[in-house]
Amino acid sequence: MAGERVRARAPGRVNLIGDHTDHTGGLVLPIAIDLETVVEGVRGGEVVALRSDRDDETAVVPRDVVDPRSVTPAWARYVAGVVAEVRPAEGFVGSVTTTLPLGGGLSSSAALEVAVALALRPDATDALTVAQMAQRAEHRATGVPCGIMDQLISCGGRAGHALLIDCGVLTVAPVPLPDDLDIVVVHSGQARRLEGSPYAERAAQCRAAEAVIGPLREAGPGTEVAIPDPVVRARARHVLGENARVRAAVEALGARDRPLLGALLQESHASLRDDFAVSTPVLDALVGRLDATPGVFGARLTGAGFGGCVVAVCEPGALDGWGPEATWRVRASAGATVEVL
Ligand code: GLA
């Protein structure tokens, strides 16, 4: 209703394990984190206008925006993608603030999309529906065929838990996290954006693999040997191995086997580096330093790769004071919320 004041908040995420599996309908194990984006304002008018605490330029998006990718400033494209998806009955004037690093691989864009979607449609509270809306908004904003993981964990996160998401059938199972495990995120210092990255090419290579051996989510271990192209075969080997590692990580968490969990993270990093080719020398060096640190069970790049952040699991306090990189000890947090004030 026009004149209504609305406040929506949406967390970023870190993925414990299961990267580059969601776009093939595979398994992921992310947590929503205690870094978040807040959109607050008043409904009404013909445009969605948001000031940002990170950019001097305001986003002003007409309710009937046609081409979100042509909107400026660049961050306003995500707002425009959501507006094009939601087609709100009235506009919105307010502000966006965030504690997330931007373009750091902690899903700042998904958090923005989800917070804007909830601000424009405070009645839409079903996590999956909002996540799918936000995912389509990202596709509209960037043209990148991203999967559902980031938007779904931002909407559906659970305090103290990771979520095992089957991205093929879209089922979600909370997995409790042990108290004696720190989850630490370290920024590599390499900014990254999915737009212009090889993300779309990797997704296409997965589809090429599926043209030979069928859906990767159903393919048994080792079936990728039937793929003649060595690059496509390597991409498939990563996805099949990563799905198996997600299952093993859920079991390791259930058994409170922290060293096994760490070993799985290390294997995941090696696979993303060697078979999926989304790591960088900077990420590899950072993971190497973390793996060599006493009390660390394992570390890996998290998210799409090509820069961004690394996640480590360790003994409580083992990475306190880590530097020189920006570092966060993150807590598994609840998903997005919206209030009509
Ligand atoms: C990005 C995408 C996700 C997922 C990860 C890699 O974060 O938005 O959908 O594909 O990369 O796991």
Side-chain angles (χ1 to χ4, degrees), residues 55 57-61 67-77 80:
D55 190 345
E57 270 190 82
T58 298
V60 182
V61 178
D67 179 12
R69 294 182 73 179
S70 65
V71 171
T72 56
W75 66 273
R77 289 180 203 158

Side-chain angles (χ1 to χ4, degrees), residues 13 18-23 146-150 194 199 303-304:
R13 66 98 184 91
D19 271 313
H20 288 287
T21 47
D22 66 346
H23 50 75
C146 69
I148 188 84
M149 169 171 68
D150 304 349
L194 290 188
Y199 185 101

Side-chain angles (χ1 to χ4, degrees), residues 87-103:
R87 290 288 176 224
E90 48 213 358
F92 188 95
V93 178
S95 64
V96 46
T97 54
T98 189
T99 51
L100 281 158
L102 304 183

Side-chain angles (χ1 to χ4, degrees), residues 13 33 54 85 92 136 142 162 172 178 235 269 294 309 317-318:
R13 66 98 184 91
I33 58 177
R54 298 293 185 93
E85 195 53 49
F92 188 95
R136 289 192 300 266
T142 66
V172 173
R235 305 299 186 248
H269 184 80
C309 285

Side-chain angles (χ1 to χ4, degrees), residues 9-36:
R9 50 158 290 278
R13 66 98 184 91
V14 62
N15 189 18
L16 285 182
I17 193 161
D19 271 313
H20 288 287
T21 47
D22 66 346
H23 50 75
T24 57
L27 302 176
V28 296
L29 190 65
I31 63 171
I33 58 177
D34 47 343
L35 298 171
E36 64 179 19

